[in-house]
Amino acid sequence: NGDPAAGGKILENIPTSNDTNGMLMVARWDLAMLKRDYVTAEKILTDAPLEKFSPAENVPKTYYQGRIALARGDIESAQNYFAAATLDAEKRVRDNPDVAMGHGELGLLYAYMQRRNDAIREARRAVELEPESQNALHGAMHAANLALVYSLSGEPDQAITVIERLLSTAGPVQCSDFSNNITLADLRLRW
């Protein structure tokens, strides 16, 4: 129902010993971010034993640290964190150029780094590699990522066009901390 506190109550009952890939940590981090509780979000990262988390256990801690810094308005720190995360993302794309997820992740990182053209190119490439017509779940996820990249890159009209279409069709809601989930609650709550 779009209430982060309700989700927090559910997560409190899940033992952290079950969190082998960091999904629980990411869910707790995401709820803290939704509540704009950046101190808690940072503590969750600091206490996390892993350096990389889901999805696919390849998202580095620096990506999450960059998002906290950006949300706090600390652009310089955010850029440093994102630059560190980008090295890994660029390598994954070089090693697997036909994997759409890698291009989408890299596009989002570039958007956070204000690298407009690179961001849009990579996000579009993800959509080209795995379009909705071939994979309704992943294709819609990549389209949602493209909408977020458009938004972060100063292309609100293009973002709104994609968002309106995604809201009117069945589409994915990925795991928590998918900053490109397209639901009314996500659009209302995410910074």
Side-chain angles (χ1 to χ4, degrees):
N1 66 3
D3 178 9
K9 289 177 184 174
I10 294 168
L11 291 176
E12 287 173 5
N13 295 320
I14 302 173
T16 57
S17 60
N18 294 344
D19 195 25
T20 57
N21 64 359
M23 290 285 293
L24 180 59
M25 186 281 314
V26 169
R28 288 180 171 149
W29 177 89
D30 188 45
L31 282 172
M33 292 295 286
L34 289 173
K35 294 190 288 186
R36 310 303 192 265
D37 183 352
Y38 306 129
V39 171
T40 298
E42 195 164 33
K43 181 173 178 2
I44 289 167
L45 285 181
T46 301
D47 293 348
L50 301 173
E51 287 301 314
K52 292 186 179 182
F53 311 100
S54 289
E57 298 177 31
N58 62 7
V59 179
K61 191 181 280 192
T62 53
Y63 169 75
Y64 296 100
Q65 291 167 316
R67 288 179 55 202
I68 293 170
L70 191 62
R72 285 180 164 161
D74 183 355
I75 305 303
E76 184 178 340
S77 293
Q79 295 308 309
N80 290 332
Y81 286 127
F82 291 138
T86 300
L87 297 173
D88 210 32
E90 288 173 335
K91 182 182 182 318
R92 283 194 309 277
V93 168
R94 275 192 312 276
D95 292 348
N96 301 290
D98 295 329
V99 175
M101 174 84 66
H103 288 278
E105 290 172 355
L106 184 57
L108 187 55
L109 269 168
Y110 285 158
Y112 283 136
M113 296 173 71
Q114 302 172 359
R115 293 175 55 180
R116 180 189 177 281
N117 294 335
D118 294 331
I120 293 171
R121 180 193 67 239
E122 292 298 328
R124 284 182 178 162
R125 182 67 181 138
V127 171
E128 291 166 4
L129 287 169
E130 206 166 17
E132 291 171 79
S133 62
Q134 293 178 5
N135 186 319
L137 177 65
H138 291 159
M141 176 189 69
H142 299 309
N145 186 67
L146 178 60
L148 179 58
V149 166
Y150 279 145
S151 178
L152 292 168
S153 300
E155 297 289 340
D157 293 339
Q158 291 189 63
I160 289 170
T161 299
V162 176
I163 290 168
E164 286 175 338
R165 183 181 56 73
L166 290 171
L167 284 174
S168 67
T169 59
V173 174
Q174 293 299 101
C175 58
S176 63
D177 178 45
F178 238 72
S179 53
N180 54 353
N181 282 340
I182 300 292
T183 68
L184 293 176
D186 279 297
L187 291 171
R188 189 179 77 249
L189 293 172
R190 294 197 182 279
W191 59 270

